């Protein structure tokens, strides 16, 4: 039952990204520039020279005073609920596989597969922390220490965040440029 739920969950995630990227439509005939523009708008492009709207760079007319900057970084918690929900999903799948007797597969889901796919979905700095805590709570490392499990899981989750899957898919579906 749990492997079926895992396959169903992956299918729903793939279907959602196809809808978000517009891959269910025939937009790929517009060319590579359209694909790169879509990837940049989704925030998944690794291009350094992405153009931003000019309105964001202009200052309001009334503010002529000095800008006061905080010494502490502002923490963006807008993606934290999504990261927690995906962490719970990974934990449920891993525990379900463990209860079914698939200990190796459960460890792979909690240590490798969950953090990679969660990182490509969540795309937030909260995800490495949530993935590490999830793997430790699930007991993915068995008898290994907490740091031996948490540090590699955080690194794998970070790799998932930095993976630019949507832009790569958009480039694959775009027409090749003529040189």
């Amino acid at each position: 039952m749990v492997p079926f739920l895992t396959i169903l969950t992956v299918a729903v995630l793939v279907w959602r990204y196809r809808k978000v990227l517009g891959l269910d439509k025939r937009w790929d005939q517009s060319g590579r520039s359209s694909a790169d523009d879509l990837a940049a708008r989704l925030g998944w492009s690794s291009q350094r020279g992405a153009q931003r709207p000019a309105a964001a760079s202009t200052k309001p007319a009334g503010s002529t005073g000095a800008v006061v900057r905080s010494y502490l970084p502002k923490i963006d918690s807008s993606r934290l609920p999504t990261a927690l929900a995906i962490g719970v999903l990974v934990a449920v799948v891993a525990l379900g596989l463990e209860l079914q007797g698939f200990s190796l597969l459960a460890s792979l889901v909690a240590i490798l597969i969950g953090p990679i796919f969660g990182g490509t979905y969540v795309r937030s700095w909260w995800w490495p922390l949530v993935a590490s805590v999830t793997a430790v709570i699930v007991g993915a490392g068995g008898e290994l220490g907490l740091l031996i499990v948490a540090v590699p899981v955080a690194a794998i989750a970070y790799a998932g965040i930095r993976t630019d899957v949507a832009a790569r898919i958009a480039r694959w579906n775009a027409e090749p440029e003529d040189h």
Side-chain angles (χ1 to χ4, degrees):
M1 180 69 182
V2 175
F4 175 73
L5 291 175
T6 304
I7 292 170
L8 182 65
T9 302
V10 170
V12 168
L13 290 175
V14 168
W15 171 77
R16 184 192 177 282
Y17 273 115
R18 285 189 59 83
K19 296 262 309 161
V20 167
L21 291 173
L23 296 177
D24 56 342
K25 303 172 193 160
R26 298 282 300 175
W27 66 270
D28 59 329
Q29 295 174 349
S30 300
R32 185 179 188 94
S33 62
S34 175
D36 289 338
D37 180 51
L38 178 61
R41 281 188 287 140
L42 288 172
W44 287 43
S45 178
S46 61
Q47 297 174 356
R48 296 288 178 199
Q51 296 178 355
R52 301 284 182 222
S57 63
T58 60
K59 289 185 178 180
S63 65
T64 57
V67 177
V68 179
R69 295 187 181 179
S70 174
Y71 290 107
L72 300 174
K74 183 178 178 182
I75 297 175
D76 180 21
S77 62
S78 62
R79 299 290 290 175
L80 180 59
T82 305
L84 290 174
I86 298 298
V88 168
L89 180 68
V90 169
V92 166
V93 169
L95 288 175
L97 288 170
E98 184 71 36
L99 290 175
Q100 294 292 323
F102 300 109
S103 297
L104 180 63
L105 188 57
S107 294
L108 283 175
V109 165
I111 292 176
L112 181 67
I113 298 169
I116 286 285
F117 286 125
T120 58
Y121 180 76
V122 175
R123 309 276 303 169
S124 169
W125 290 106
W126 288 105
W127 179 243
L129 176 66
V130 170
S132 299
V133 170
T134 300
V136 168
I137 289 174
V138 170
E143 296 178 10
L144 299 175
L146 295 178
L147 286 177
I148 296 174
V149 173
V151 172
V153 169
I156 292 168
Y158 177 75
I161 290 171
R162 301 305 296 174
T163 303
D164 206 0
V165 174
R168 193 164 291 148
I169 291 172
R171 285 188 207 108
W172 285 342
N173 290 322
E175 292 179 12
E177 291 182 9
D178 294 328
H179 285 69

